[in-house]
Amino acid sequence: MTLATKKLSLTINDRVIDRIDVPYTMMMQDFLYEYLNLTGSRMGCGQGICNACTVIVEKDDGSLEEVQTCTIGAHWFEGKRVRTVEGHGSHDASGAITKLSPLQQAFIEHFSFQCGYCTPGFVTGATVFMDQLKRKPIARAELEQAIIDALDKHICRCTGYVRYHEAVRDLVLKTPGLLNG
Amino acid sequence: MHKLIWGVAIVAGCCALIAGAIFAGLFEKSVVAKGIEQPLSPDRMKALAAKGAYVAVTADCYACHTAKGGAAWAGGLPIATPFGTVYSTNISPDKENGIGNWTRADFHRALRDGVGKGGSHLYPAMPYASYRKMTPDDVDAVYAYLMSREPMRIANRKNALTFPFNIRQSLTFWNLLSLPGEEKAADNAKSAIWIRGQYLVDALGHCGECHTPRNLMQGMQHNKYLKGALLEGIIAPDITKEGLVRMGFDAPLLAGFMKSGISAQGAMAYQMFDVVHFSTQYMTDEDLSALSAYLFDLDAAHDTSVPPPAPKPVELAPALAASAHTTYRNLCSACHGAEGQGIPHVVVPLSTNVSLRLNDARNLVHTVLHGVPAQKFPGLERMEPMPSFKDKLTDQEVADLANWMRAVWGGREPTFKPEGVASIRQGK
């Protein structure tokens, strides 16, 4: 049996994917794993609830949006610019990671995760949160609640929430221009 | 000329007199019998309380008289009306804030006449137009049950209504125009099950309060009884036999839906979710069969289900079908299935879903735009949250998607317009 396919073009981690045949019904998560060997984002619940599977869509205005991949079809990403967890750090010419993003580094320094299954989703969600602060800074007094609101939808089963929270707070406080006053 | 002035003055005077008489309540008719003044003995109250617990469940008193996360029976639930917000009241037996000082007669007048202790009128957010049909025995039972609850010392919240609707006495006009007339004698040609079902639907369950359209005065349009109405942006569907068949129900399916909140036709949502949660799941199978038999105009309960045939799909323009089908595959199919089959115990099917078969696509579009929270149903049933797609889809895409799903699975013409989506997006 062959699945009916359709051409798909998009950019993932700055790599242009040009018109490859992808089944109509394939979810983005399967496309990342099976076609691109990008296995960083996690299949958790498969129902759009745990958010371990999320990736970033870079919009035309430069702002970032967090999108689930387990329940959204690969073809929804047609023409879009996508950043998976593999695309956050810096890479050398061979593709090896030379430096983690400041947020990934903060998660390591804070021992934020235990089993690490939810971490790609937290990296994605917190990166989008930092981008939102850069565009619209908030007051220090609002920060704790804002972190909770931003990361609330990410589920961690090893009780890592506090350390994720602390890592994000620490990085926001260290990064100029994210808070008012 | 003088004659004309006198004539106008006399007519105006008569109108003022009539209006004054209505305002003073001279035209109000109580359905409460005089004998109710006699208090019930403590033993009788005790004996009635157990029965009253079940009557109160079927009348769904708790859902309105307990705020979300609030104390039981202490009221405080906001109820939106076109004239402002009414807050449900404390009906626990607290003497200061609740009904602790209410006599049996006070309680009967409140439930059936819409007049509280001391003669102050209740707002018809309290469904006394339906409870008016309750038997005095059932009202006694609810009274005995509520008086056996724990008193809650929680003050009532002040209503936020606009003038002149904040004048309670003006409800004399509403009552005159909106309350049903004399009850007809029971139809002997009907079976006991049908008659019990009618009582459950019309009186205790007060189904008509939401499922019957209202006129300008916000009274129920009795000639369109149960024909469906718009309520807080959601359609409470037509639940006459014709409407229920259109939605894919037969009598046993409907009875099961009222018990579990889940069926092939979908999961109870919006206000009906609370109705199942607080009321119908606790109703006896006999009562649910009776309720269903009455709505399907049957004289006996039926166990064997023969669902109506699926609607015939409507052909769509190929370009619209292709683009909407792509949207469906990309955003809906992971949970609702490529063929709209859903996932048992997790996600409702769409191929047999009520909202695809209703006359209007409003409920479907509302759900696509605004989502539905995760829901816990009786037993072990759970439904995962339906996400909101308002940021992912344009008005045109939502209209196309809704039209496509309704044409393919609901047999409905693709008539919904992007302007309709825009209006629902804005909460209208």
Side-chain angles (χ1 to χ4, degrees):
Chain A
M1 186 184 130
T2 45
L3 291 170
T5 61
K6 187 180 167 187
K7 300 284 183 200
L8 174 63
S9 302
L10 73 168
T11 305
I12 297 191
N13 302 334
D14 294 328
R15 175 184 161 196
V16 176
I17 313 288
D18 189 27
R19 293 177 58 76
I20 58 172
D21 290 317
V22 178
Y24 275 107
T25 51
M26 182 164 272
M27 291 299 123
M28 183 63 166
Q29 173 98 69
D30 294 329
F31 173 69
L32 293 174
Y33 272 58
E34 305 299 334
Y35 282 66
L36 304 178
N37 199 29
L38 292 172
T39 56
S41 57
R42 301 283 187 239
M43 168 60 87
C45 65
Q47 295 173 10
I49 294 168
C50 76
N51 290 294
C53 69
T54 58
V55 295
I56 288 172
V57 170
E58 301 168 7
K59 297 208 257 190
D60 292 344
D61 64 359
S63 65
L64 308 181
E65 182 188 3
E66 187 179 9
V67 181
Q68 293 163 349
T69 59
C70 73
T71 52
I72 307 240
H75 287 281
W76 185 81
F77 293 83
E78 168 68 35
K80 294 185 165 65
R81 287 182 59 83
V82 176
R83 193 191 309 169
T84 68
V85 72
E86 291 90 344
H88 285 249
S90 310
H91 300 75
D92 63 19
S94 72
I97 294 172
T98 53
K99 196 179 172 195
L100 294 173
S101 76
L103 185 82
Q104 288 171 312
Q105 192 61 42
F107 281 176
I108 287 178
E109 286 165 9
H110 281 263
F111 295 101
S112 294
F113 45 89
Q114 293 179 43
C115 86
Y117 204 82
C118 64
T119 306
F122 272 95
V123 169
T124 302
T127 301
V128 171
F129 174 61
M130 299 273 293
D131 177 68
Q132 286 164 350
L133 289 186
K134 194 172 79 185
R135 288 161 198 284
K136 199 176 171 191
I138 59 171
R140 172 66 183 92
E142 295 166 351
L143 179 61
E144 303 301 327
Q145 190 57 47
I147 297 172
I148 291 170
D149 292 345
L151 301 184
D152 187 47
K153 64 183 180 184
H154 288 273
I155 294 176
C156 165
R157 293 289 73 147
C158 315
T159 69
Y161 299 112
V162 172
R163 287 169 183 248
Y164 276 127
H165 188 111
E166 287 172 352
V168 174
R169 177 208 292 142
D170 191 29
L171 187 62
V172 170
L173 294 176
K174 274 188 202 159
T175 309
L178 302 186
L179 296 178
N180 290 325
Chain B
M1 190 63 189
H2 274 105
K3 273 186 186 170
L4 182 65
I5 291 170
W6 272 107
V8 170
I10 287 167
V11 170
C14 288
C15 288
L17 271 176
I18 293 167
I22 295 171
F23 189 75
L26 296 183
F27 289 93
E28 289 212 304
K29 269 196 206 160
S30 174
V31 286
V32 176
K34 293 279 182 277
I36 300 296
E37 300 292 349
Q38 186 71 29
L40 296 163
S41 70
D43 283 348
R44 182 84 186 118
M45 287 285 279
K46 209 171 164 189
L48 274 174
K51 179 193 170 192
Y54 183 73
V55 179
V57 158
T58 56
D60 203 10
C61 312
Y62 189 91
C64 285
H65 283 283
T66 305
K68 303 271 184 241
W73 305 108
L77 185 85
I79 299 163
T81 78
F83 316 116
T85 304
V86 177
Y87 292 91
S88 66
T89 53
N90 186 335
I91 55 167
S92 77
D94 182 58
K95 289 188 189 307
E96 195 183 332
N97 307 292
I99 60 167
N101 281 329
W102 286 38
T103 64
R104 177 191 180 197
D106 291 335
F107 191 74
H108 275 256
R109 286 194 199 101
L111 245 68
R112 300 188 66 203
D113 291 342
V115 179
K117 185 176 177 64
S120 134
H121 280 72
L122 272 57
Y123 286 103
M126 159 75 180
Y128 58 86
S130 299
Y131 291 162
R132 194 169 180 82
K133 298 167 190 161
M134 281 174 71
T135 62
D137 284 352
D138 275 355
V139 179
D140 276 344
V142 176
Y143 176 64
Y145 170 67
L146 289 176
M147 286 305 196
S148 73
R149 303 294 85 201
E150 195 184 331
M152 296 293 172
R153 285 199 66 182
I154 294 172
N156 286 308
R157 290 188 68 173
K158 204 168 181 296
N159 295 327
L161 291 165
T162 50
F163 179 81
F165 307 105
N166 55 355
I167 302 172
R168 285 179 179 271
Q169 189 62 23
S170 63
L171 284 157
T172 48
F173 291 94
W174 191 89
N175 290 343
L176 184 68
L177 292 169
S178 307
L179 287 182
E182 291 294 314
E183 279 298 291
K184 286 182 210 148
D187 185 347
N188 289 332
K190 295 294 182 187
S191 68
I193 285 175
W194 191 98
I195 291 167
R196 173 67 182 166
Q198 182 190 39
Y199 181 63
L200 287 163
V201 169
D202 292 358
L204 291 178
H206 58 280
C207 308
E209 299 279 343
C210 292
H211 288 278
T212 301
R214 291 182 181 266
N215 55 29
L216 275 180
M217 285 283 290
Q218 293 300 302
M220 282 186 267
Q221 295 181 46
H222 297 292
N223 59 341
K224 292 184 182 167
Y225 190 57
L226 302 180
K227 296 287 282 177
L230 186 63
L231 205 73
E232 294 178 14
I234 297 296
I235 295 164
D238 177 348
I239 54 165
T240 62
K241 183 180 176 183
E242 189 191 5
L244 289 166
V245 168
R246 173 79 225 179
M247 288 190 274
F249 287 108
D250 66 358
L253 279 175
L254 180 68
F257 190 44
M258 301 301 285
K259 185 89 184 172
S260 67
I262 296 180
S263 72
Q265 287 69 31
M268 291 287 197
Y270 307 110
Q271 294 199 22
M272 273 310 285
F273 176 72
D274 286 340
V275 172
V276 173
H277 193 71
F278 293 115
S279 174
T280 57
Q281 68 161 310
Y282 301 110
M283 285 170 69
T284 62
D285 291 347
E286 290 75 21
D287 271 352
L288 289 173
S289 292
L291 176 149
S292 208
Y294 168 66
L295 288 173
F296 278 90
D297 196 21
L298 300 170
D299 279 332
H302 290 250
D303 292 333
T304 317
S305 186
V306 188
K312 200 167 161 273
V314 171
E315 196 90 5
L316 289 183
L320 166 66
S323 113
H325 198 174
T326 300
T327 305
Y328 180 82
R329 283 185 181 121
N330 284 343
L331 298 181
C332 318
S333 69
C335 297
H336 290 289
E339 305 299 325
Q341 72 273 27
I343 305 172
H345 317 296
V346 180
V347 184
V348 295
L350 291 178
S351 56
T352 49
N353 198 283
V354 159
S355 58
L356 276 60
R357 299 183 180 193
L358 297 178
N359 288 336
D360 192 313
R362 169 175 276 275
N363 289 8
L364 175 63
V365 169
H366 191 286
T367 303
V368 170
L369 288 176
H370 303 298
V372 177
Q375 293 173 308
K376 180 176 173 230
F377 287 95
L380 297 173
E381 291 287 352
R382 304 286 183 274
M383 286 292 127
E384 71 173 43
M386 158 83 187
S388 152
F389 288 95
K390 66 179 163 47
D391 297 330
K392 285 202 169 59
L393 294 170
T394 64
D395 293 345
Q396 184 70 55
E397 286 168 332
V398 174
D400 289 351
L401 177 66
N403 282 330
W404 177 80
M405 287 196 281
R406 283 165 58 81
V408 172
W409 290 313
R412 286 290 180 183
E413 290 294 329
T415 52
F416 207 75
K417 300 273 185 288
E419 298 78 49
V421 179
S423 149
I424 297 171
R425 192 187 284 277
Q426 289 157 20
K428 287 178 193 162

